[in-house]
Amino acid sequence: MTYKEILRIMFRDYFVICTGIIICQTIFCLIITPDAVFTLAEFGYILFGGVIFTIPHFVFCSNRELDKNAWKKRRILHLAILICTILSCAHLFGWLNGFNLLEHVIMIAGIFIVYMVVWTVDWSVDNADSRKINQKLKEFNGEDGD
Amino acid sequence: MKISIEEIPADEPPEIIIRCHTIDEGIHKIINRIKTLEDMVIGYQGNQIHRVVPKDVYYFEAVDSKVFIYTKSEVYESKQKLYEFEELNNGFYLRTSKSVIMNLKKIKYVSPAFNGRFEACFDNGEKLIISRQYVSELKKRLQI
């Protein structure tokens, strides 16, 4: 993907990420701290975090089209960078208290689940599209008996 | 047989006129020969010049300002620009990324390649990516 495409996807994913953080925090607080109260500043952190968390998208930059395997590798790298970035921001913004292992595990699991859900939904849409394309390709290639 | 060549202004399309007494087998042969030549793609392999039938081309690819023609088992270099191959008039060719034009007739199937992209698998086993921004054009061509 080129820089221009990356910027367009970053803009779209900003909103996906903000929603993802809110879902993660809701699940996280329901399990760990059900009485938690969110301040205006904390919502600001989420909006700011949305910007920071789209930056790892640059791992997908390439002048040539990445093949399936290269894309998978960059996806894994992207997820790893994203988890590190989110954990760093979580410490900075006070979303995590110290080095509580359980909190870290739940947060990483939350990120992983949201990431996999988004990936699965994307893949399902593409898979349905590929089935339609293959059906039409069969018809197209059969037309001239070539 | 007399052969006449007339130079015409650049804004006029080139034209071949055959003047004959009767349209016989020989004239048909000439017409078919001209039509075939017109549809050929010229490819270079070292010092050799090859005429490639467009329907045998799997895809055209631009690499570092050079254009290559890929058939089932051969690769030729072309002196033409990549966009010129989009204009091949049989309607089988489609740009599928900034640097590739594929022959839809040679695609066996496509599979998802993440992020709205697809991987086209050709009947010779080769695989190439269809960029996200060209998928809508592919769907339009296939009337999806």
Side-chain angles (χ1 to χ4, degrees):
Chain A
M1 279 196 288
T2 60
Y3 281 100
K4 209 175 158 186
E5 286 172 76
I6 294 278
L7 288 173
R8 205 183 60 234
I9 291 170
M10 279 170 76
F11 181 75
R12 182 203 67 185
D13 285 359
Y14 170 76
F15 298 101
V16 176
I17 288 169
C18 286
T19 311
I21 296 171
I22 292 168
I23 292 169
C24 280
Q25 283 218 333
T26 307
I27 296 166
F28 181 76
C29 292
L30 276 173
I31 298 167
I32 305 289
T33 52
D35 302 326
V37 176
F38 285 86
T39 64
L40 198 59
E42 279 158 340
F43 280 105
Y45 292 153
I46 293 171
L47 298 178
F48 176 69
V51 176
I52 300 291
F53 305 149
T54 56
I55 291 171
H57 277 49
F58 282 109
V59 299
F60 296 113
C61 266
S62 168
N63 288 329
R64 287 178 65 84
E65 276 297 336
L66 296 171
D67 64 27
K68 258 186 184 176
N69 282 335
W71 189 268
K72 273 182 204 165
K73 282 176 195 161
R74 294 206 192 192
R75 265 285 186 193
I76 292 164
L77 180 67
H78 178 253
L79 178 60
I81 295 172
L82 193 64
I83 287 173
C84 293
T85 313
I86 293 175
L87 286 181
S88 306
C89 285
H91 279 286
L92 197 71
F93 300 155
W95 296 342
L96 288 173
N97 295 319
F99 288 93
N100 184 323
L101 186 66
L102 181 65
E103 285 188 11
H104 282 75
V105 168
I106 291 171
M107 182 163 260
I108 291 169
I111 298 163
F112 188 77
I113 289 165
V114 170
Y115 199 88
M116 292 316 287
V117 166
V118 172
W119 196 357
T120 308
V121 169
D122 268 357
W123 189 86
S124 306
V125 172
D126 289 348
N127 202 34
D129 268 354
S130 76
R131 258 186 265 129
K132 279 184 212 164
I133 292 171
N134 284 333
Q135 181 60 39
K136 287 287 180 178
L137 263 178
K138 259 187 201 166
E139 291 170 22
F140 184 82
N141 289 339
E143 271 171 15
D144 293 319
D146 203 16
Chain B
M1 193 190 291
K2 188 181 154 196
I3 297 174
S4 308
I5 300 171
E6 185 188 331
E7 284 192 37
I8 53 166
D11 57 340
E12 280 181 34
E15 186 181 20
I16 295 169
I17 297 170
I18 300 170
R19 300 181 71 227
C20 59
H21 297 291
T22 50
I23 304 171
D24 56 16
E25 188 64 27
I27 296 296
H28 280 298
K29 272 186 183 170
I30 293 169
I31 293 168
N32 286 337
R33 187 85 177 142
I34 293 167
K35 277 186 176 172
T36 313
L37 281 174
E38 201 180 31
D39 290 341
M40 287 286 185
V41 172
I42 304 296
Y44 299 82
Q45 263 182 342
N47 294 328
Q48 292 180 317
I49 300 172
H50 297 261
R51 285 184 305 173
V52 184
V53 183
K55 75 179 179 78
D56 291 341
V57 174
Y58 279 58
Y59 61 95
F60 301 96
E61 186 178 30
V63 183
D64 300 331
S65 74
K66 283 182 180 173
V67 175
F68 295 95
I69 303 162
Y70 294 79
T71 60
K72 190 166 189 169
S73 54
E74 299 292 331
V75 182
Y76 305 95
E77 193 181 334
S78 173
K79 304 285 181 207
Q80 285 179 263
K81 301 283 179 202
L82 188 66
Y83 69 85
E84 290 175 43
F85 295 115
E86 271 182 298
E87 292 156 11
L88 282 172
N89 58 6
N90 59 15
F92 302 157
Y93 299 91
L94 183 76
R95 190 177 280 259
T96 51
S97 73
K98 257 164 76 177
S99 58
V100 174
I101 292 169
M102 287 183 195
N103 181 353
L104 298 182
K105 284 277 177 191
K106 299 292 180 190
I107 300 175
K108 206 171 163 191
Y109 63 87
V110 298
S111 59
F114 310 110
N115 201 39
R117 306 171 324 139
F118 293 95
E119 188 178 64
C121 182
F122 292 95
D123 56 26
N124 65 347
E126 262 196 89
K127 288 176 179 178
L128 277 184
I129 293 293
I130 301 172
S131 295
R132 188 189 173 103
Q133 65 264 46
Y134 294 97
V135 170
S136 57
E137 195 52 46
L138 171 67
K139 286 181 178 175
K140 214 158 90 183
R141 182 70 66 86
L142 296 173
Q143 295 168 338
I144 297 174

